[in-house]
C-alpha cells in the first residue's frame, strides 16, 4: 500500500477482491433503438402521451424522494430509493422522448422544471401525499399494478422507443409491485393498529383508481394506431392482482373506483402545485445556471 | 434506559453469487421480519451495482459454526495428510498427461 | 479440549496478540480483550450513526435538485449512505451488539456521530462541496481502515471506500460545472467552500497530543495513522484540487513548505470543535430529533411486520 503517494491508490490493493467487485453490464436501454416516428402517427399526440406516462413516473418518484430519511427502517430507505430511482429513470426517458418528438428544443429538464401544473399530465394518484407508510404502500400497490399491466402491453407498441421503455419498465415495476404487495399484506394482517391504518389508507386511495382506466382521446387515437395502450383494457388484470393482495391482507369490503378526475388534461389538486414549487424552485431561481 | 432494547426483526446472513460459475459468498447481514423481506432487502442493500445474480438469506440464529476453540480438533488433523495432494507423488517428467 | 493446564484466557490472549502482530484479521468469534471489543463496537456504531445522520444534510436537496440527472445522482448517493450505515451496523452486530440498542443510544444522544453533519446545507453548492471535501476527508480516514485489524469492519470499509469514490467525484464534477456557470453560481461554490473547509479538517479529530485513545487503537491496529498525519495528507491532496477548481481555501496561513515537502496551514478553532462535539453544533438537536421521529413513526410498521411473520409461521405449523 502506498498511502504516502495517493490515499485512493490504496484501494487498488483490493481490486482482486471479487466479493465487492462492481458489476458490469450497465447499458443504455435505448441503445440501437430507432428514434424515427412512423409517418401515420401524430407527433403532438405522441409527445403528449410520453408526457402522460413520464409525468406519472416523475411525480410518483418525487413522492418517494420525500420519504428519504423518514422510512420505517433503514433497509426500506434503500428499497424506496431504488423504486424512486427506477421511476425517475423512466421519467427521464419518457420526457426526453416527448421533447424529441415535439421538436421544439425542450429537453427532459425544460419539461420537468419549466412547465406549470396545468401542463402536467399525470394521474392524480401520483401526486397524492402520503399521510403515513400505509398510504404510501397502498398508493404504490395501485400505481404499480396498473403501470405494470400498462408497460407490459407497451412492449408491443409500434413506436420502438416506447416499446423499449416498456420492456425496461416491466422488470422494474414487477419489483415495485412485489414490494408494495408484501407490505400491504404485512400491515393488513399484522396488528389491529396496522390493519386499521392499512384499511384507512386503501379507503383513501382506491377511489383515485377510477382515473387510471378512463381512456383519454389521445390514448384512444394512439391505441388505434398501435402505439399506445388503451387503459380501459387493463382493468381486469388490475382487479385480479389487487384482489389477490387484498385477500391475503384480510382487507375486504373496500370502496370501488370513483368517477374519473382529469389529471391527464392538466386538472390537478393543490398537491401538485406544492410538489412543483419544491421541485422547480432552484431550477427557476437561477435562469442560465448550469448544473 | 435498559440494555434490553432488541430490534423488532431478526438478523439474517446474506450470501451473493457474483456471477454464474462462482460460489455464493457471505457479504454481510441485515434485519428483516421474514425470509421474503430478507431477500428483498438483500437485493436492495447488497446488489445495487449489479454485484449479484443470485442471493441466499439464512437466519443468523440458524447458522451453526465451528468456533475458534475447535480449531485444532477440526482443522489440524488434515495438516499431516500430505498424501492427499498430487504433488506428494513423484512421477518421471517423461510420463505425459499426469 | 486438551487437558494441558493452560488457562483458556491466556491461550486466547496469545492467539490475539499473534494475530495482531502478524497483521492478520481478528474475527468475531475469536477471543479478544474486552477493551478491544468495546472499542470496536463503539467505533463501528459511531461510524454507522454518522452514515445515517449524514443522509440528512444532502437528503434535504433531493426533491429540489435543479436537473433530473443531478436528482438521480444525489438520490443514489444518499441511498449509498444508508447502505454504508447498514454494512457497519452489520459489522457491529457480529460482536453481539444489537442494532435496536445502538439506534436507541443514538436517538437518546448517548452515542456520538461525526459532528460535520450538524452544519446546515444552505445552497445546492453544498451538495458538491460535501462530496468533494466531506466525502473526500472520509475517504482519507477510511482507506487505512480497510486494513483495520477487525475483519468485518475492514471488509465493510473496502466496500464503502469503493462507493465513496463515486461520492467524491460526483461532488467535484458538480462544482466544476457550477464554476463554468454564472457569477452567482461561482459565488455559491466559493461560499460553500468557505463554510465547509474548517469543519472538514475537524473530521480528523483532535490533535495527536490531545487524543488519549489513539495509542491503544494504534497498538491494536484498529487505527493505522495518527489524526494529524491524515489531516496533513488531506490538506496536501486538496490544495491542487481547489486550484484546479478555481476556489480559494479560507486559510490565510495555507502555503507550501518546501522544506517539509508539505503544506503549512492555520490552527483549527478547537473551541468550536469541542463545542460541536459536545452537541452544541448548529443542527445537533434537529438531526437527532429527525432520526428519532423516523424511528418512532416506523415502530408500528416494524411491529406489524413482526406480528405478521409470527402469524404466518403459526399458520404454517398448524397447517392452516
Ligand atoms: Fe458513506
Ligand atoms: Fe459518502
Amino acid at each position: 500500500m502506498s498511502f504516502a503517494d495517493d490515499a485512493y491508490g490504496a484501494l487498488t490493493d483490493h481490486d482482486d477482491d471479487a466479493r465487492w467487485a462492481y458489476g458490469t453490464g450497465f447499458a443504455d436501454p435505448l441503445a440501437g433503438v430507432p428514434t424515427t416516428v412512423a409517418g401515420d402517427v401524430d407527433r403532438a399526440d405522441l409527445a403528449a402521451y410520453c408526457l402522460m406516462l413520464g409525468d406519472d413516473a416523475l411525480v410518483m418518484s418525487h413522492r418517494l424522494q420525500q420519504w428519504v430519511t423518514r422510512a420505517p427502517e433503514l433497509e426500506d430507505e434503500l428499497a424506496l430509493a431504488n423504486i424512486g430511482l427506477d421511476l425517475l429513470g423512466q421519467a427521464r426517458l419518457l420526457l426526453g422522448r416527448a421533447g424529441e418528438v415535439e421538436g421544439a428544443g425542450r429537453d427532459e429538464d425544460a419539461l420537468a422544471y419549466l412547465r406549470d401544473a396545468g401542463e402536467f399530465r399525470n394521474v392524480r394518484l401520483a401526486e397524492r401525499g402520503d399521510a403515513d407508510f400505509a398510504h404510501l404502500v397502498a398508493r404504490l400497490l395501485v400505481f404499480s399494478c396498473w403501470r405494470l399491466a400498462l408497460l407490459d402491453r407497451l412492449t408491443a407498441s409500434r413506436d420502438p422507443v416506447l416499446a423499449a421503455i416498456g420492456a425496461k419498465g416491466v422488470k422494474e415495476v414487477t419489483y415495485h409491485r412485489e414490494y408494495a404487495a408484501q407490505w400491504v399484506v404485512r400491515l393488513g394482517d399484522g396488528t389491529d393498529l396496522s390493519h386499521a391504518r392499512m384499511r384507512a389508507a386503501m379507503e383513501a386511495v382506491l377511489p383515485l383508481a377510477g382515473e387510471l382506466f378512463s381512456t383519454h382521446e389521445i390514448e384512444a387515437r394512439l391505441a388505434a394506431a398501435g402505439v399506445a395502450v388503451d387503459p380501459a383494457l387493463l382493468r381486469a388484470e388490475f382487479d385480479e392482482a389487487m384482489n389477490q393482495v387484498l385477500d391475503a391482507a384480510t382487507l375486504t369490503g373496500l370502496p370501488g373506483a370513483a368517477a374519473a378526475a382529469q389529471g391527464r388534461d392538466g386538472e390537478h389538486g393543490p398537491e401538485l402545485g406544492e410538489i412543483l414549487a419544491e421541485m422547480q424552485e432552484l431550477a427557476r431561481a437561477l435562469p442560465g445556471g448550469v448544473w | 434506559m435498559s440494555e434490553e432494547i432488541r430490534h423488532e426483526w431478526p438478523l439474517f446472513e446474506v450470501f451473493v453469487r457474483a456471477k454464474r460459475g462462482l460460489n455464493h459468498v457471505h457479504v454481510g447481514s441485515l434485519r428483516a421480519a421474514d425470509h421474503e423481506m430478507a431477500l428483498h432487502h438483500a437485493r436492495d442493500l447488497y446488489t445495487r451495482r449489479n454485484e449479484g445474480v443470485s442471493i441466499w438469506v439464512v437466519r443468523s440464529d440458524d447458522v451453526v459454526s465451528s468456533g475458534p476453540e475447535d480449531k485444532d480438533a477440526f482443522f489440524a488433523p488434515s495438516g499431516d495428510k500430505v498424501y492427499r495432494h498430487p504433488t506428494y507423488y513423484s512421477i518421471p517428467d517423461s510420463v505425459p498427461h499426469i | 479440549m486438551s487437558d494441558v493446564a493452560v488457562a483458556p484466557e491466556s491461550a486466547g490472549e496469545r492467539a490475539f496478540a499473534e494475530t495482531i502482530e502478524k497483521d492478520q484479521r481478528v474475527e468475531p468469534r475469536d477471543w479478544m480483550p474486552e477493551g478491544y471489543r468495546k472499542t470496536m463496537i463503539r467505533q463501528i456504531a459511531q461510524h454507522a450513526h454518522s452514515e445515517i445522520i449524514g443522509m440528512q444534510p444532502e437528503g434535504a436537496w433531493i426533491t429540489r435538485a435543479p436537473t433530473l440527472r443531478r436528482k438521480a445522482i444525489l438520490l443514489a448517493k444518499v441511498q449509498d449512505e444508508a447502505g454504508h450505515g447498514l454494512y457497519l451496523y452489520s459489522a457491529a452486530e457480529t460482536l453481539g451488539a444489537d442494532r435496536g440498542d445502538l439506534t436507541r443510544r443514538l436517538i437518546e444522544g448517548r452515542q456520538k456521530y461525526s459532528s460535520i453533519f450538524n452544519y446546515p446545507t444552505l445552497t445546492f453548492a453544498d451538495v458538491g462541496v460535501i462530496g468533494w471535501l466531506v466525502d473526500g476527508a472520509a475517504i482519507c480516514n477510511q482507506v487505512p481502515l480497510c486494513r483495520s485489524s477487525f475483519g468485518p469492519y475492514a471488509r465493510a470499509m473496502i466496500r464503502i471506500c469503493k462507493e465513496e469514490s463515486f461520492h467524491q467525484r460526483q461532488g467535484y464534477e458538480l462544482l466544476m460545472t457550477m464554476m463554468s456557470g454564472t457569477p452567482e453560481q461561482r459565488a455559491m461554490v466559493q461560499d460553500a467552500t468557505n463554510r465547509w473547509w474548517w469543519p472538514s479538517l475537524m473530521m480528523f479529530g483532535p490533535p495527536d497530543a490531545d487524543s488519549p485513545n489513539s495509542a491503544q487503537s494504534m497498538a491494536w491496529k484498529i487505527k493505522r495513522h495518527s489524526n494529524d498525519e491524515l489531516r496533513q495528507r488531506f490538506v496536501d491532496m486538496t490544495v491542487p484540487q481547489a486550484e484546479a477548481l478555481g476556489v480559494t481555501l479560507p486559510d490565510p496561513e495555507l502555503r507550501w513548505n518546501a522544506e517539509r515537502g508539505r503544506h503549512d496551514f492555520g490552527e483549527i478553532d478547537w473551541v468550536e470543535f469541542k463545542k460541536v462535539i459536545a452537541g452544541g453544533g448548529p443542527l445537533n438537536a434537529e438531526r437527532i430529533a429527525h432520526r428519532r421521529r423516523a424511528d418512532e413513526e416506523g415502530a408500528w410498521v416494524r411491529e406489524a411486520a413482526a406480528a405478521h411473520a409470527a402469524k404466518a409461521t403459526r399458520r404454517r405449523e398448524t397447517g392452516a
Side-chain angles (χ1 to χ4, degrees):
Chain A
M1 168 164 318
S2 56
F3 185 67
D5 304 323
D6 173 12
Y8 312 127
L11 290 173
T12 57
D13 275 9
H14 303 282
D15 270 357
D16 56 345
D17 191 335
R19 274 168 305 178
W20 304 140
Y22 284 135
T24 50
F26 296 96
D28 175 1
L30 298 185
V33 176
T35 57
T36 47
V37 178
D40 61 329
V41 174
D42 185 286
R43 293 185 81 95
D45 276 359
L46 180 56
Y49 185 62
C50 291
L51 283 181
M52 291 176 184
L53 302 186
D55 288 346
D56 289 340
L58 181 63
V59 172
M60 189 71 187
S61 175
H62 188 93
R63 284 295 184 206
L64 285 154
Q65 292 155 35
Q66 290 178 324
W67 276 91
V68 171
T69 72
R70 295 174 46 221
E73 187 43 274
L74 296 174
E75 282 86 349
D76 291 289
E77 290 283 354
L78 283 117
L80 296 176
N82 269 348
I83 297 171
L85 281 168
D86 285 344
L87 291 172
L88 183 55
Q90 292 177 18
R92 294 180 64 191
L93 293 174
L94 286 158
L95 296 192
R97 178 63 171 163
E100 179 182 76
V101 171
E102 181 190 57
R106 292 201 285 181
D107 63 5
E108 60 178 38
D109 289 325
L111 289 167
Y113 291 97
L114 302 178
R115 280 182 301 149
D116 294 328
E119 300 165 84
F120 270 73
R121 291 181 171 274
N122 59 281
V123 292
R124 294 259 187 118
L125 173 73
E127 70 199 49
R128 174 61 63 90
D130 301 311
D132 60 18
F133 189 69
H135 281 74
L136 171 67
V137 293
R139 233 160 39 80
L140 189 61
L141 179 67
V142 171
F143 185 82
S144 306
C145 283
W146 167 68
R147 193 170 178 87
L148 180 59
L150 194 161
L151 293 174
D152 191 33
R153 288 169 189 240
L154 199 63
T155 58
S157 170
R158 273 179 62 218
D159 183 72
V161 175
L162 283 179
I165 292 171
K168 175 174 187 286
V170 162
K171 295 179 203 156
E172 296 169 341
V173 179
T174 300
Y175 177 80
H176 307 171
R177 185 177 75 166
E178 175 97 9
Y179 176 85
Q182 285 191 8
W183 268 115
V184 168
V185 171
R186 283 185 199 112
L187 297 182
D189 182 57
T191 62
D192 290 346
L193 174 66
S194 72
H195 180 86
R197 289 187 173 170
M198 197 62 246
R199 168 174 292 280
M202 276 298 172
E203 284 170 352
V205 165
L206 280 175
L208 293 168
E211 183 181 11
L212 308 181
F213 307 101
S214 72
T215 311
H216 190 275
E217 54 182 352
I218 291 176
E219 289 171 315
R221 285 197 295 271
L222 287 175
V227 169
V229 176
D230 178 356
L233 303 176
L234 307 174
R235 184 83 214 208
E237 190 179 334
F238 172 87
D239 283 342
E240 196 192 322
M242 284 296 296
N243 288 337
Q244 211 183 329
V245 177
L246 295 176
D247 271 359
T250 70
L251 294 165
T252 51
L254 290 165
Q262 296 304 321
R264 291 285 189 236
D265 277 324
E267 288 169 28
H268 299 281
E271 287 176 306
L272 182 67
E274 288 158 24
I275 288 173
L276 296 186
E278 185 181 38
M279 184 171 88
Q280 299 175 337
E281 174 194 356
L282 174 58
R284 290 188 180 207
L286 283 176
V290 287
W291 311 96
Chain B
M1 287 291 291
S2 75
E3 298 294 297
E4 289 302 297
I5 303 294
R6 310 296 293 177
H7 198 283
E8 293 91 337
W9 297 342
L11 199 60
F12 287 80
E13 302 299 323
V14 181
F15 302 76
V16 173
R17 185 200 295 283
K19 56 183 173 203
R20 298 183 68 83
L22 297 182
N23 287 324
H24 286 77
V25 172
H26 183 244
V27 294
S29 65
L30 48 74
R31 293 278 175 173
D34 51 45
H35 287 89
E36 292 75 28
M37 189 195 280
L39 263 184
H40 268 194
H41 286 167
R43 177 261 197 193
D44 288 319
L45 179 57
Y46 289 106
T47 66
R48 293 198 301 293
R49 290 179 169 83
N50 278 1
E51 296 101 326
V53 295
S54 161
I55 301 173
W56 290 345
V57 292
V58 182
R59 266 187 73 143
S60 305
D61 50 18
D62 284 338
V63 174
V64 180
S65 77
S66 68
E69 67 280 7
D70 305 323
K71 200 175 96 203
D72 286 348
F74 267 62
F75 306 116
S78 62
D80 68 345
K81 315 259 184 325
V82 63
Y83 44 78
R84 284 191 173 120
H85 296 266
T87 48
Y88 177 70
Y89 304 94
S90 53
I91 308 277
D93 287 347
S94 55
V95 180
H97 307 308
I98 186 164
Chain C
M1 289 260 82
S2 95
D3 55 4
V4 180
V6 177
E9 293 91 84
S10 63
E13 265 169 70
R14 269 205 310 279
F16 178 82
E18 205 180 296
T19 304
I20 299 289
E21 212 249 312
K22 285 187 180 158
D23 240 342
Q24 291 174 336
R25 300 285 171 268
V26 178
E27 294 298 341
R29 297 200 50 191
D30 292 344
W31 183 91
M32 61 189 83
E34 219 24 57
Y36 179 90
R37 178 185 300 275
K38 280 208 178 108
T39 301
M40 252 7 279
I41 291 179
R42 193 186 56 234
Q43 178 171 337
I44 299 173
Q46 288 181 359
H47 193 161
H49 298 333
S50 302
E51 302 281 357
I52 299 304
I53 296 289
M55 296 168 68
Q56 291 182 34
E58 290 181 282
W61 282 98
I62 295 171
T63 55
R64 292 180 286 164
T67 70
L68 297 185
R69 174 171 174 268
R70 288 290 167 204
K71 187 186 284 285
I73 290 169
L74 186 55
L75 179 51
K77 195 242 177 186
V78 172
Q79 180 195 42
D80 269 354
E81 306 299 6
H84 297 175
L86 285 176
Y87 307 153
L88 289 162
Y89 284 127
S90 165
E93 293 204 275
T94 65
L95 287 169
D98 181 279
R99 199 212 303 172
D101 178 54
L102 298 177
T103 301
R104 185 54 53 112
R105 287 166 190 266
L106 169 67
I107 62 184
E108 287 175 358
R110 289 185 292 130
Q111 213 160 37
K112 291 194 190 321
Y113 57 89
S114 177
S115 48
I116 189 84
F117 301 116
N118 289 330
Y119 292 90
T121 40
L122 301 180
T123 74
F124 199 70
D126 290 41
V127 168
V129 171
I130 287 177
W132 173 37
L133 295 180
V134 176
D135 287 287
I139 294 172
C140 253
N141 263 330
Q142 291 171 3
V143 164
L145 294 176
C146 296
R147 293 195 305 146
S148 173
S149 59
F150 185 54
Y153 189 41
R155 291 191 288 272
M157 290 319 308
I158 291 170
R159 184 170 188 140
I160 287 172
C161 283
K162 285 201 169 194
E163 298 183 353
E164 287 296 346
S165 76
F166 141 55
H167 298 177
Q168 198 194 23
R169 289 173 68 98
Q170 64 82 32
Y172 194 78
E173 187 213 61
L174 168 61
L175 297 177
M176 285 199 305
T177 311
M178 288 181 72
M179 289 302 282
S180 76
T182 65
E184 198 179 350
Q185 286 188 296
R186 282 193 287 279
M188 282 166 77
V189 174
Q190 183 62 59
D191 167 65
T193 304
N194 293 348
R195 284 182 288 108
W196 289 96
W197 172 248
W198 290 106
S200 302
L201 293 188
M202 293 179 192
M203 286 175 70
F204 296 92
D208 293 349
D210 196 18
S211 182
N213 300 323
S214 282
Q216 179 63 73
S217 285
M218 299 271 250
W220 278 332
K221 296 187 182 168
I222 295 172
K223 255 178 98 130
R224 328 233 17 161
H225 302 271
S226 79
N227 295 351
D228 287 335
E229 168 58 20
L230 289 169
R231 189 163 18 237
Q232 176 74 57
R233 192 74 63 202
F234 176 69
V235 172
D236 290 338
M237 287 195 304
T238 307
V239 168
Q241 294 167 356
E243 274 166 23
L245 196 56
V247 295
T248 313
L249 297 172
D251 178 0
E253 293 173 52
L254 181 65
R255 65 179 55 86
W256 176 249
N257 181 327
E259 213 170 292
R260 289 203 306 133
R262 321 201 83 174
H263 291 85
D264 291 336
F265 54 98
E267 187 71 16
I268 288 169
D269 181 350
W270 295 114
V271 176
E272 153 107 358
F273 173 82
K274 291 207 174 98
K275 190 186 91 185
V276 178
I277 291 271
L283 293 176
N284 189 288
E286 282 94 325
R287 298 290 189 231
I288 296 273
H290 185 97
R291 181 74 193 96
R292 176 199 289 269
R293 205 178 318 119
D295 188 69
E296 286 173 357
E297 286 178 359
W300 70 275
V301 176
R302 297 191 302 273
E303 280 157 18
H308 166 70
K311 281 187 190 175
T313 305
R314 249 192 332 270
R315 280 195 292 262
R316 253 198 316 278
E317 279 165 3
T318 59

